[in-house]
Amino acid sequence: MRKRQRTRERIAAAAAELVMRNGLAATTADRIAEEAGIARATFFRYFESKEYAVAEGFTSAWITAITDALRRQPAELSPTDALTAAFADLATDFDSIGDQIAEIELRTRESLTLRAWTLLCYLNFETAIAETIAPRLPDLTVDDPRPRLLGALAMAAVRISLDDWLRDGGSLSERISRAVTSMTVRPMTK
C-alpha cells in the first residue's frame, strides 16, 4: 500500500512539474509517465486523466507550502493574523507562476468533472488549514467550528481573488493578500 502511495505521489509531482515547465497543453499523459519512470498503462491505473494528476500534484505541493508557512508564524499571532502573514509569505510565488495558474484555472472551468475535482482540492486545502490553525485558537473544543470556518474563509478569499484576477488582471499576489487580510474585518467607526 505504501509503494502505491509513493508511486501516485511521484506521478502527481511529475505532472505538476511538467506543467510548470511546459504548460498544460504541452503536458501529455505519455510525458508524465516518462517523467515519473512508469509505463503509460500504469499512469492510467492511478489517474483518469492528465488533469487529475496535475491537480493532485499542485494540491499536495501547495498544501505543504501553506501549512509550512502557517507553522512558521510566531505563536503570539492570532489565527487570522497568522493566515494573513502566511499568505503574504507565499505571495511572491503566485505572480511568478501566474501563467500556469491562469491556464489551469481556465482549463478546469471548461470541464464539469474538473470543476468538481477543483472543489475537492479546495476542501483538502480547507482541512489542512483548519488542522494547522486549530492549536492557535483559545478554548478549542472537539466540535469547534472555528478552525474549519477559518480554513473555508481563507480558501474563499483565494477563490474570489482568482475569479477577479482572471476577469480583471492585475497582481494575483496583491489580490490574494488583500482578500485574506479582509478576513480580519474591524468594526466601522462613525
Side-chain angles (χ1 to χ4, degrees):
M1 189 62 131
R2 187 81 179 130
K3 183 180 177 186
R4 281 190 57 80
Q5 183 60 33
R6 283 194 307 268
T7 300
R8 184 179 183 89
E9 290 168 0
R10 189 171 75 246
I11 296 167
E17 178 61 33
L18 283 169
V19 168
M20 293 294 292
R21 280 197 318 247
N22 307 318
L24 187 61
T27 300
T28 64
D30 289 333
R31 281 288 300 126
I32 295 168
E34 181 182 321
E35 184 83 8
I38 59 167
R40 184 176 197 277
T42 302
F43 172 87
F44 286 106
R45 272 187 246 137
Y46 286 88
F47 292 99
E48 181 179 318
S49 68
K50 73 175 183 179
E51 289 84 2
Y52 278 87
V54 170
E56 188 166 314
F58 276 120
T59 300
S60 61
W62 278 104
I63 283 175
T64 300
I66 290 168
T67 56
D68 286 351
L70 270 170
R71 287 185 189 100
R72 286 192 302 269
Q73 301 312 311
E76 64 273 4
L77 289 181
S78 72
T80 52
D81 289 342
L83 276 167
T84 301
F87 275 93
D89 288 352
L90 297 170
T92 56
D93 291 337
F94 298 136
D95 286 332
S96 66
I97 60 169
D99 290 343
Q100 292 91 347
I101 292 172
E103 182 181 5
I104 290 166
E105 282 295 317
L106 292 171
R107 188 71 179 258
T108 58
R109 291 162 191 241
E110 295 171 356
S111 161
L112 288 176
T113 303
L114 289 178
R115 276 193 227 165
W117 178 255
T118 301
L119 289 175
L120 180 59
C121 290
Y122 281 129
L123 287 174
N124 291 338
F125 280 111
E126 291 172 11
T127 300
I129 290 168
E131 290 170 355
T132 307
I133 208 76
R136 291 179 179 271
L137 293 163
D139 306 320
L140 189 68
T141 61
V142 173
D143 60 347
D144 197 325
R146 293 177 298 164
R148 290 182 57 216
L149 285 169
L150 287 170
L153 277 172
M155 291 314 299
V158 170
R159 285 193 303 274
I160 290 166
S161 299
L162 282 167
D163 289 345
D164 293 349
W165 175 69
L166 287 170
R167 185 188 63 232
D168 302 326
S171 168
L172 178 58
S173 63
E174 288 175 18
R175 287 186 182 280
I176 291 175
S177 293
R178 189 172 61 241
V180 173
T181 300
S182 72
M183 289 174 33
T184 57
V185 176
R186 308 284 186 236
M188 291 178 55
T189 57
K190 293 186 179 194

